[in-house]
């Protein structure tokens, strides 16, 4: 299979869906002439024109609302936020309009819309530009929340999100755009709500998603050198969450570490732990451990930023702790 970047995988997904369905259009800040802040939409303006690749002013609330209205009358908008941190300005449209319209209209209006953009920390972008938003969005009934961790998943999941008749929040790892992986040339779609077992073992389970998938795989490689075999369960979609995949792995390994990019309090990991303690309590041989960002706004200084982030060393230490290895 061709090896391409996460960025190009996303671009392929959007291009293919725009070719397949003329109701699909892309809208957001700098998506057209500038080819997108992260160059995901490179070449789309030239191929599809300014009616389907739409540059907007810096008005997140406004263009998110235009997208919701367009979806209500039968189009399939893809709304790009330059970062999910800026999407706070559009949260009313995401949470109070898109997520609730089907319910509040008595089933009259589907809202087939994708809100997408970079999520989480990069390098020295400081507190206002480094937040992982999946737990905020997953709290809301009516939204689907997708966090792809590989180029393969990014393409397949984005195609599924664009075809979905419900609003989907698609959170791309800000540090993943240049990462590479195998992506088939032939058509494929990954169903939303299905986790994937990225690595198979029998000593412990790491449940993770998004950017942390790469860290979990690195941890699995390093632990394998010490004879420790771990399952890596990539949730891929955090709402709906694939509870069956979590249960199957933890029931097999009897130990669980949850590796997440966001903060501990009310995070995605808390939901995973809730499922594990209810569904797998009798199978657990150790308490579940969570690895997460420090409970502080993201520091700007390199050394403090590194200390605040979840990383490989912390993930490995957590696996050894659930295995009672010093």
């Amino acid at each position: 299979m061709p090896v391409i970047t996460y960025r190009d995988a996303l671009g392929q997904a959007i291009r293919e869906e725009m070719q397949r369905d003329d109701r699909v259009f892309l809208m957001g800040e700098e998506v057209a002439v500038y080819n997108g802040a992260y160059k995901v939409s490179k070449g789309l303006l030239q191929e599809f024109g300014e009616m389907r690749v739409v540059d907007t002013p810096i008005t997140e609330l406004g263009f998110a609302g235009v997208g919701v209205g367009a979806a209500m009358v039968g189009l399939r908008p893809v709304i790009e936020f330059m970062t999910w941190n800026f999407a706070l300005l559009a949260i009313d449209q995401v949470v109070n309009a898109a997520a609730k319209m089907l319910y509040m209209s008595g089933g009259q209006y589907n809202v087939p819309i994708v809100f997408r953009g970079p999520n989480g920390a990069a390098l020295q972008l400081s507190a206002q530009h480094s937040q992982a938003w999946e737990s905020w969005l997953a709290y809301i009934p009516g939204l689907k929340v997708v966090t792809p961790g590989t180029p393969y998943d990014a393409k397949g999941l984005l195609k599924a999100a664009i075809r979905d008749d419900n609003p989907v929040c698609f959170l791309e790892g800000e540090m993943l755009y240049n990462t590479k992986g195998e992506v088939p040339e032939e058509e494929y779609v990954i169903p939303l709500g299905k986790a994937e077992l990225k690595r198979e073992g029998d000593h412990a389970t790491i449940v993770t998603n998004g950017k942390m998938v790469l860290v979990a795989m690195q941890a699995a490689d390093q632990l394998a050198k010490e004879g420790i075999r771990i399952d890596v369960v990539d949730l891929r979609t955090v709402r709906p969450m694939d509870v069956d995949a979590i249960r199957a792995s933890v029931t097999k390994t009897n130990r669980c570490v949850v590796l997440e990019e966001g903060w501990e309090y009310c995070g995605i990991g808390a939901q995973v732990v809730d499922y594990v303690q209810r569904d797998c309590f009798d199978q657990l041989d150790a308490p579940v451990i969570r690895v997460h960002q420090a409970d502080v706004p993201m520091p700007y200084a390199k050394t403090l930023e590194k200390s605040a982030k979840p990383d490989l060393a912390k993930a490995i230490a957590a696996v050894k702790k659930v295995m009672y290895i010093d």
Side-chain angles (χ1 to χ4, degrees):
M1 288 188 288
V3 175
I4 64 173
T5 64
Y6 187 97
R7 169 189 295 106
D8 289 341
L10 293 166
Q12 284 185 9
I14 298 170
R15 174 174 280 103
E16 289 176 12
E17 291 307 300
M18 291 180 73
Q19 292 170 341
R20 188 186 65 86
D21 187 343
D22 61 12
R23 296 173 299 170
V24 179
F25 71 96
L26 176 66
M27 181 166 57
E29 296 155 354
E30 300 184 342
V31 299
V33 175
Y34 191 66
N35 291 313
Y38 291 87
K39 305 307 180 201
V40 169
S41 54
K42 184 177 180 180
L44 295 183
L45 175 64
Q46 290 74 21
E47 183 172 349
F48 298 102
E50 61 184 13
M51 292 297 290
R52 295 185 67 195
V53 184
V54 184
D55 273 334
T56 69
I58 304 174
T59 52
E60 284 82 1
L61 179 66
F63 64 77
V66 170
V68 172
M72 290 174 63
V73 297
L75 299 179
R76 306 189 82 88
V78 178
I79 303 300
E80 178 175 314
F81 296 124
M82 195 177 292
T83 160
W84 272 96
N85 295 279
F86 299 164
L88 268 186
L89 298 164
I91 204 70
D92 181 57
Q93 290 296 335
V94 177
V95 170
N96 281 329
K100 297 179 174 63
M101 191 59 65
L102 180 64
Y103 172 75
M104 295 185 71
S105 69
Q108 296 180 77
Y109 289 104
N110 289 102
V111 185
I113 188 170
V114 177
F115 300 104
R116 52 159 293 270
N119 174 63
L123 296 174
Q124 288 190 281
L125 295 184
S126 196
Q128 294 179 335
H129 294 71
S130 302
Q131 297 163 113
W133 290 98
E134 52 264 43
S135 62
W136 290 58
L137 296 163
Y139 181 68
I140 307 300
L143 295 178
K144 296 184 178 181
V145 182
V146 183
T147 58
T150 67
Y152 178 87
D153 290 346
K155 182 176 180 179
L157 290 167
L158 184 53
K159 288 172 72 71
I162 293 171
R163 298 182 190 188
D164 202 285
D165 286 332
N166 301 283
V168 179
C169 295
F170 199 89
L171 284 69
E172 301 154 13
E174 183 142 0
M175 290 292 290
L176 294 178
Y177 286 114
N178 288 327
T179 59
K180 294 183 177 181
E182 291 185 339
V183 176
E185 292 180 333
E186 62 271 15
E187 168 81 5
Y188 73 98
V189 175
I190 298 173
L192 303 186
K194 294 294 292 183
E196 182 181 35
L197 187 61
K198 287 281 198 292
R199 184 67 58 82
E200 190 164 359
D202 52 10
H203 288 141
T205 296
I206 294 182
V207 179
T208 190
N209 68 287
K211 186 167 68 181
M212 291 295 104
V213 171
L214 186 59
V215 176
M217 296 297 285
Q218 291 169 345
D221 289 341
Q222 190 159 324
L223 287 164
K225 297 175 183 177
E226 302 178 42
I228 300 171
R229 302 179 300 276
I230 62 172
D231 266 11
V232 175
V233 178
D234 177 4
L235 294 173
R236 301 200 289 196
T237 301
V238 296
R239 185 179 182 113
M241 190 176 288
D242 190 348
V243 185
D244 291 338
I246 298 170
R247 181 190 305 113
S249 178
V250 175
T251 299
K252 177 180 67 172
T253 68
N254 310 117
R255 295 172 172 85
C256 182
V257 170
V258 185
L259 175 60
E260 57 196 306
E261 186 177 4
W263 292 302
E264 175 186 23
Y265 202 79
C266 301
I268 292 297
Q271 189 64 50
V272 174
V273 173
D274 178 62
Y275 285 140
V276 170
Q277 64 86 20
R278 279 189 287 123
D279 290 0
C280 312
F281 182 81
D282 289 339
Q283 284 74 44
L284 286 175
D285 289 340
V288 180
I289 294 178
R290 291 172 63 193
V291 181
H292 47 77
Q293 187 187 139
D295 191 23
V296 296
M298 184 63 72
Y300 176 73
K302 282 185 180 180
T303 52
L304 295 177
E305 180 186 57
K306 185 178 186 302
S307 179
K309 289 179 178 179
D311 61 17
L312 176 61
K314 294 170 186 174
I316 289 173
V319 170
K320 290 183 176 181
K321 187 171 181 179
V322 297
M323 293 183 64
Y324 302 107
I325 298 173
D326 292 333

